[in-house]
């Protein structure tokens, strides 16, 4: 038998060599990018090119001849081989052998929505381990999405300690990495550094609220630091709502490998026979400047990834900052009337509506007990959805279904459903613990919460799904001896719940929230229409936070609310900042003057009217708050007949030199009327150019004098094509 297997393996390796002899080339292309892979003489698969698209097919052949036999850029680098740098995959086999060498077996491609999918099978020549590499190239958006699938037929489970989504290589003179890090209320602060020999790792071990300290995306300047409109830039992001790790390793020859992956920290994964381990999707684009790359991703997301990516969004009034936990039915009904008065589409009831034995009157109790609190809401949610209907607004509801307070009936009943150590004192993050979503019973329970809420209250039109704690006390009572699977199976359990929800309630929009922007990735956004960028709604901070997130996400995925954070900024300034994204309010109208309320109404109706431009148009970041005391962004509608320019004077210096803002993305030959909108009642535009008509060419080359030396001053300018 042993002899037979050896003969088979030899035959297989001869077959592989003959494929290699044919110089198998796999070309993965968009309209502007080529990723070219080639089987070398040794039968293994190497990356030979990643960059601007090659114009001539003959050059692809020339490249193949030049690079034939090239070693060192193995597409899915194995371990225990001649490559001395970070591998894509590491497996401990049943016999304890830690090496994996992968050989090309076959590849195929087929059309998928928006693009072409290529699947490449690799196989170890000594162990029954397969890896299938998947690539989907989206030509029009210049985006490539790639992930891998590892499976085996060894007798017992194998242990995986590396499982990259993919590997990409670059050979440039220098590399500059921009990361997006921070903390609660200071998400996605951008910082850049040059990469030199060795590894730079961006990772998180937070589990559930995984992106609290750093977000799952980056910019990479190839040859020069990232700039907005020139230079080669790679923008990459991993669709994984859990521990992720990006490794950037510069080797002895000055080449860079980029490895996006689930973080293998405390996650040696026991993989059963014939069960594929599917890695998260890594999504990337190569562009000239970061602006173009962001537009690529934004358009791709709206077209193919984001839930309801092409539909309009609902403006809303939330009660969180207005009432916190202190509300009752009467108060909420009053707020619904305020929502109607503002002209928003929806009222969103936040935390604090549930729990009876342990009422949710603060953040110390009640999570897990999803029954209406009788003292606050004696007539239940149905009375609220009815009242919302009477006020002609939709009704949305906050939930945090993956969590439990130790002070809850759920914890009393099912301590075994909770991630915590059997033999240590528990520690808490926001007084709560995380449910063990690796356990199918818990998945059913979490799905059941929402299912029941929707069955009992079919008029619930929206959920805000929160997740305020990282995984703490990291032990799964369910997984027992397979604790290495916990971080990964938790996330997969979450996806199972979300998928089921999507299948059974496909039309319910949901906000992804995690104590602010602690969850913000493109896998979750298959199930969520939008995410909450940050609990920090100070408009000055928001200018930076929204600027950061806009590198990856379209405006319609980013929730921005007007609140009382930073009262030194006018209500107009606060609203103008929120109007750049998905607009909402979290403020009591009693806090506002009549003029301010009238202003907000006007801003809401303008935002609703301009949704096709702001939510679905192309976004151009014009003036950076990181480089100046101002900020400017313009959006251009698909047909270039309308545009909106947002400008902010943040903290300008005295008599600072002010430059005109040059717009981008307009049709140079069309003529646009410039009109300042969102003006406070009783004020008029101070713009000299207000009401005038200019060509797109003029607006893009000469620009408009829109900045001022006034602190916390903002302008919204609408541009409309004149026939
Ligand atoms: C988190 C969210 C807030 C709010 C609170 C409620 O912090 O980010 O918007 O919903 O939870 O407890």
């Amino acid at each position: 038998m042993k002899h037979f297997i050896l003969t088979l393996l030899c035959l297989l390796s001869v077959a592989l060599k003959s494929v290699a002899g044919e110089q198998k080339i796999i070309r993965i292309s968009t309209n502007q990018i080529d990723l070219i892979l080639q089987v070398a003489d040794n039968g293994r698969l190497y990356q030979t090119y990643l960059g601007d698209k090659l114009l001539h097919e003959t050059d692809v052949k020339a490249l193949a001849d030049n690079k034939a036999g090239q070693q060192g850029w193995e597409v899915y680098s194995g371990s225990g081989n001649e490559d001395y740098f970070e591998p894509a995959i590491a497996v401990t086999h049943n016999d304890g052998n830690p090496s994996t060498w992968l050989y090309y077996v076959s590849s195929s491609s087929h059309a998928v929505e928006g693009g072409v999918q290529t699947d490449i099978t690799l196989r170890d020549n000594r162990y029954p381990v397969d890896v299938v590499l998947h690539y989907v190239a989206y030509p029009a958006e210049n985006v490539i999405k790639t992930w891998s699938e590892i499976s085996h037929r060894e007798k017992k489970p194998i242990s995986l300690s590396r499982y990259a989504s993919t590997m990409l290589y670059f050979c440039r003179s220098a590399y500059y990495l921009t990361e997006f890090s921070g903390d609660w209320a200071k998400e996605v602060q951008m910082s850049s550094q040059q990469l030199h020999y060795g590894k730079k790792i961006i990772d998180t071990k937070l589990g559930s609220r995984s992106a609290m300290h750093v977000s799952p995306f980056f910019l990479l300047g190839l040859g020069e630091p990232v700039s907005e409109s020139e230079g080669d830039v790679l923008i990459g992001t991993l669709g994984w709502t859990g521990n992720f790790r990006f490794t950037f390793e510069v080797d002895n020859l000055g080449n860079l490998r980029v490895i996006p992956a689930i973080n293998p920290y405390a996650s040696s994964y026991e993989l059963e026979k014939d069960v594929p381990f599917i890695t998260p999707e890594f999504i990337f684009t190569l562009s000239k400047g970061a602006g173009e790359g962001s537009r690529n991703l934004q358009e791709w997301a709206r077209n193919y990834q984001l839930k309801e990516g092409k539909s309009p969004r609902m403006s809303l009034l939330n009660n969180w900052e207005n009432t916190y936990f202190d509300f009752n039915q009467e108060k909420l009904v009053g707020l619904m009337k305020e929502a109607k008065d503002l002209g928003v589409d929806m009222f969103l009831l936040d935390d604090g509506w549930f729990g009876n034995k342990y009422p949710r009157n603060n953040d110390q109790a009640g999570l897990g007990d999803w029954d209406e609190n009788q003292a606050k809401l004696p007539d239940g949610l149905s009375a609220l959805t009815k009242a919302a209907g009477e006020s002609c607004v939709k009704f949305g509801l906050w939930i945090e279904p993956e969590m439990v307070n130790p002070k809850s009936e759920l914890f009393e009943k099912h301590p075994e459903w909770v991630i915590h150590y059997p033999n240590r004192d528990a520690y808490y993050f926001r007084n709560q613990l995380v449910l063990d979503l690796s356990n199918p019973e818990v998945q059913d329970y979490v799905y059941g919460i929402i299912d029941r809420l929707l069955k009992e209250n079919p008029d619930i039109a929206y959920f805000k799904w929160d997740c305020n704690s990282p995984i703490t006390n990291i032990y799964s009572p369910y997984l027992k001896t397979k604790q290495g699977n916990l971080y990964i199976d938790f996330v997969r359990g979450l996806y199972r719940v979300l998928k089921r929800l999507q299948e059974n309630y496909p039309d319910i929009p949901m906000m992804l929230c995690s104590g602010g922007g602690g969850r913000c990735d493109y896998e979750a956004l298959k199930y969520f229409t939008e995410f909450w960028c940050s609990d920090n709604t100070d408009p000055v901070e928001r200018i930076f936070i929204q600027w950061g997130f806009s590198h990856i996400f379209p405006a319609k995925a980013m929730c921005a609310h007007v609140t009382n954070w930073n009262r030194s900024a006018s209500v107009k300034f606060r609203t103008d900042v929120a109007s750049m994204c998905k607009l909402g309010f979290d403020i009591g109208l009693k806090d506002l003057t009549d003029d301010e309320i009238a202003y907000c109404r006007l801003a809401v109706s303008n935002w609703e009217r301009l949704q096709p431009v702001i939510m679905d148009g192309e976004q151009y970041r014009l003036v950076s708050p990181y480089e100046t005391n101002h900020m400017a962004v313009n959006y251009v509608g698909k047909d270039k007949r309308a545009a909106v320019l947002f400008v902010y004077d943040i903290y300008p210096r005295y008599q600072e030199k002010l430059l005109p803002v040059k717009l981008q993305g307009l049709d140079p030959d069309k003529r646009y009327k410039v009109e300042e909108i969102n003006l406070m009642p009783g004020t008029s535009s101070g713009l000299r150019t207000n009401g005038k008509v200019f060509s797109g060419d003029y607006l893009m080359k000469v620009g408009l004098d829109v900045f001022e030396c006034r602190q916390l001053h903002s302008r919204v300018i609408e541009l409309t094509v004149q026939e």
Side-chain angles (χ1 to χ4, degrees):
M1 181 65 184
K2 203 169 163 195
H3 182 74
F4 174 65
I5 291 175
L6 272 177
T7 318
L8 256 186
L9 287 171
C10 284
L11 278 176
L12 181 67
S13 78
V14 171
L16 293 173
K17 287 235 167 68
S18 68
V19 175
E22 288 162 21
Q23 275 194 340
K24 176 73 188 175
I25 297 164
I26 300 165
R27 187 175 183 190
I28 295 154
S29 310
T30 70
N31 288 348
Q32 283 169 30
I33 313 170
D34 256 328
L35 169 62
I36 301 180
L37 317 178
Q38 185 177 336
V39 181
D41 294 341
N42 63 4
R44 284 154 56 183
L45 185 68
Y46 293 85
Q47 176 190 312
T48 50
Y49 184 80
L50 173 55
D52 294 343
K53 188 163 183 167
L54 301 179
L55 295 180
H56 309 291
E57 197 63 41
T58 47
D59 292 340
V60 177
K61 176 80 177 68
L63 176 83
D65 293 340
N66 284 340
K67 302 271 181 167
Q70 169 177 344
Q71 309 266 306
W73 285 26
E74 194 166 7
V75 171
Y76 203 72
S77 172
S79 37
N81 59 25
E82 71 292 340
D83 184 313
Y84 294 109
F85 296 89
E86 187 67 22
I89 180 169
V91 176
T92 305
H93 300 282
N94 281 188
D95 62 1
N97 189 314
S99 67
T100 299
W101 299 16
L102 295 170
Y103 293 82
Y104 174 81
V105 175
S106 62
S107 64
S108 62
S109 30
H110 60 279
V112 292
E113 195 203 354
V116 174
Q117 177 165 335
T118 304
D119 306 309
I120 307 168
T121 302
L122 309 175
R123 183 165 298 151
D124 193 305
N125 63 348
R126 291 284 179 267
Y127 292 91
V129 172
D130 276 14
V131 175
V132 185
L133 310 176
H134 301 281
Y135 298 85
V136 180
Y138 297 89
E141 296 83 7
N142 286 304
V143 166
I144 297 178
K145 160 167 124 170
T146 166
W147 70 101
S148 305
E149 217 173 309
I150 304 166
S151 60
H152 77 95
R153 296 187 56 78
E154 296 193 24
K155 283 207 183 80
K156 288 189 278 171
I158 58 172
S159 172
L160 294 174
S161 56
R162 289 289 186 281
Y163 23 70
S165 290
T166 192
M167 275 175 100
L168 299 177
Y169 298 83
F170 297 94
C171 171
R172 296 295 177 110
S173 55
Y175 312 97
Y176 297 87
L177 176 70
T178 301
E179 64 187 57
F180 298 77
S181 58
D183 202 341
W184 175 78
K186 50 178 288 201
E187 290 84 350
V188 293
Q189 308 294 304
M190 295 171 68
S191 62
S192 302
Q193 59 184 269
Q194 187 173 356
L195 301 175
H196 296 284
Y197 179 84
K199 284 183 206 162
K200 158 76 185 174
I201 286 178
I202 299 175
D203 71 352
T204 162
K205 299 170 183 148
L206 292 159
S208 40
R209 191 174 167 172
S210 54
M212 180 164 60
H213 298 151
V214 69
S215 299
F217 40 82
F218 63 85
L219 317 179
L220 187 67
L222 299 166
E224 56 193 289
V226 174
S227 85
E228 196 56 29
S229 46
E230 54 198 33
D232 289 346
V233 178
L234 172 81
I235 308 187
T237 177
L238 194 74
W240 186 243
T241 319
N243 293 349
F244 60 84
R245 183 168 92 162
F246 295 120
T247 306
F248 302 86
E249 186 171 31
V250 179
D251 66 17
N252 53 322
L253 301 174
N255 295 327
L256 171 72
R257 66 181 65 187
V258 177
I259 314 176
I262 295 176
N263 190 352
Y265 165 77
S267 297
S268 283
Y269 195 90
E270 268 197 43
L271 183 66
E272 303 281 341
K273 180 178 173 179
D274 284 332
V275 179
F277 181 100
I278 301 174
T279 71
E281 295 171 352
F282 176 65
I283 299 129
F284 71 93
T285 178
L286 273 176
S287 56
K288 304 295 166 198
E292 182 190 311
S294 299
R295 285 186 293 281
N296 290 347
L297 287 175
Q298 292 167 357
E299 184 64 2
W300 166 82
R302 281 186 297 246
N303 287 342
Y304 312 114
Q305 192 88 356
L306 176 66
K307 181 175 163 79
E308 293 298 328
K310 292 181 184 158
S311 310
R313 294 295 185 259
M314 287 192 277
S315 55
L316 62 84
L317 176 69
N318 189 0
N319 71 310
W320 174 240
E321 304 228 343
N322 189 357
T323 65
Y324 293 106
F325 295 97
D326 180 19
F327 56 79
N328 56 29
Q329 186 171 317
E330 197 190 340
K331 227 186 210 178
L332 297 180
V333 172
L335 291 178
M336 290 177 201
K337 293 193 180 121
E338 293 191 2
K340 181 183 184 192
D341 200 10
L342 265 179
V344 294
D345 301 309
M346 179 175 49
F347 171 74
L348 170 61
L349 171 58
D350 215 283
D351 196 355
W353 58 268
F354 49 89
N356 285 299
K357 181 172 175 191
Y358 301 101
R360 180 77 172 165
N361 290 331
N362 51 48
D363 64 13
Q364 290 171 19
L367 277 180
D369 302 343
W370 300 101
D371 291 314
E372 294 97 320
N373 176 281
Q374 291 303 312
K376 290 183 201 175
L377 304 175
D379 302 323
L381 288 172
S382 59
L384 297 180
T385 55
K386 188 158 167 266
E390 281 158 8
S391 285
C392 305
V393 288
K394 304 256 190 220
F395 180 80
L397 188 68
W398 180 97
I399 47 173
E400 196 179 359
E402 299 154 77
M403 301 286 158
V404 62
N405 284 121
K407 275 196 201 160
S408 68
E409 292 182 68
L410 178 67
F411 190 75
E412 285 175 351
K413 215 161 136 200
H414 284 297
E416 79 286 4
W417 281 3
V418 178
I419 298 177
H420 69 299
Y421 294 113
N423 57 353
R424 291 186 190 279
D425 294 341
Y427 61 96
Y428 301 105
F429 195 102
R430 210 192 191 208
N431 315 300
Q432 62 197 59
L433 292 166
V434 182
L435 291 178
D436 186 0
L437 278 170
S438 72
N439 181 344
E441 241 190 310
V442 178
Q443 294 163 21
D444 284 346
Y445 160 79
V446 172
Y447 172 78
I449 297 169
I450 303 140
D451 186 49
R452 181 177 61 80
L453 282 168
L454 284 172
K455 286 213 167 94
E456 288 174 6
N457 306 281
D459 288 334
I460 294 176
Y462 181 91
F463 282 110
K464 173 179 177 183
W465 179 309
D466 214 334
C467 163
N468 277 299
S469 176
I471 297 183
T472 53
N473 309 281
I474 306 144
Y475 181 90
S476 158
Y478 171 76
L479 288 170
K480 299 198 175 72
T481 56
K482 289 209 264 176
Q483 296 299 320
N485 292 20
L486 173 57
Y487 279 125
I488 295 172
D489 285 352
F490 173 87
V491 180
R492 290 185 175 153
L494 172 66
Y495 292 154
R496 253 174 237 133
V497 173
L498 292 169
K499 199 154 179 259
R500 199 164 155 196
L501 203 56
Q502 175 102 308
E503 280 160 8
N504 293 322
Y505 300 99
D507 299 328
I508 186 125
M510 294 203 291
M511 181 203 295
L512 173 65
C513 175
S514 185
R519 278 179 168 176
C520 50
D521 70 87
Y522 269 127
E523 187 63 23
L525 287 173
K526 285 180 179 168
Y527 308 102
F528 291 88
T529 42
E530 53 225 47
F531 71 94
W532 181 230
C533 303
S534 177
D535 279 346
N536 191 335
T537 44
D538 171 337
V540 173
E541 296 303 325
R542 270 297 180 130
I543 282 178
F544 287 86
I545 291 169
Q546 292 170 193
W547 180 272
F549 277 123
S550 77
H551 283 80
I552 311 296
F553 303 106
K556 71 182 346 173
M558 294 161 53
C559 305
H561 295 176
V562 180
T563 71
N564 274 328
W565 284 53
N566 195 351
R567 283 175 196 257
S568 58
S570 66
V571 167
K572 169 173 163 58
F573 189 87
R574 287 180 249 164
T575 310
D576 289 352
V577 170
S579 295
M580 284 189 291
C581 295
K582 211 220 81 166
L583 177 63
F585 291 80
D586 198 349
I587 194 168
L589 295 200
K590 287 180 199 71
D591 290 348
L592 305 179
T593 64
D594 288 349
D595 276 355
E596 285 168 340
I597 294 175
Y599 170 79
C600 290
R601 263 188 225 126
L602 173 70
V604 169
S605 72
N606 279 333
W607 182 84
E608 298 280 4
R609 182 173 59 81
L610 292 167
Q611 273 212 51
V613 182
I614 304 170
M615 298 288 98
D616 294 319
E618 300 238 289
Q619 185 200 54
Y620 294 84
R621 290 184 296 264
L622 305 173
V623 178
S624 167
Y626 281 91
E627 291 160 14
T628 69
N629 300 321
H630 309 265
M631 193 274 231
V633 157
N634 79 258
Y635 297 84
V636 183
K638 286 264 158 58
D639 55 6
K640 295 188 187 283
R641 297 185 62 79
V644 184
L645 169 66
F646 290 91
V647 290
Y648 306 90
D649 306 303
I650 309 172
Y651 295 121
R653 304 287 303 275
Y654 173 70
Q655 286 204 349
E656 180 186 296
K657 180 167 174 55
L658 299 172
L659 298 171
V661 170
K662 296 177 187 170
L663 285 87
Q664 290 180 33
L666 303 175
D667 182 335
D669 299 323
K670 289 199 161 83
R671 296 186 60 74
Y672 295 85
K673 183 170 183 197
V674 171
E675 213 175 349
E676 183 169 358
I677 57 171
N678 282 16
L679 290 163
M680 279 295 284
T683 66
S684 54
S685 171
L687 281 183
R688 262 183 299 115
T689 43
N690 199 39
K692 297 202 172 139
V693 177
F694 301 91
S695 72
D697 191 48
Y698 178 97
L699 292 165
M700 294 192 289
K701 288 180 179 159
V702 181
L704 293 173
D705 288 311
V706 284
F707 284 142
E708 294 204 17
C709 279
R710 286 161 66 181
Q711 295 199 345
L712 301 178
H713 174 253
S714 60
R715 280 199 164 114
V716 183
I717 296 160
E718 183 176 354
L719 297 109
T720 321
V721 162
Q722 304 296 292
E723 296 308 339

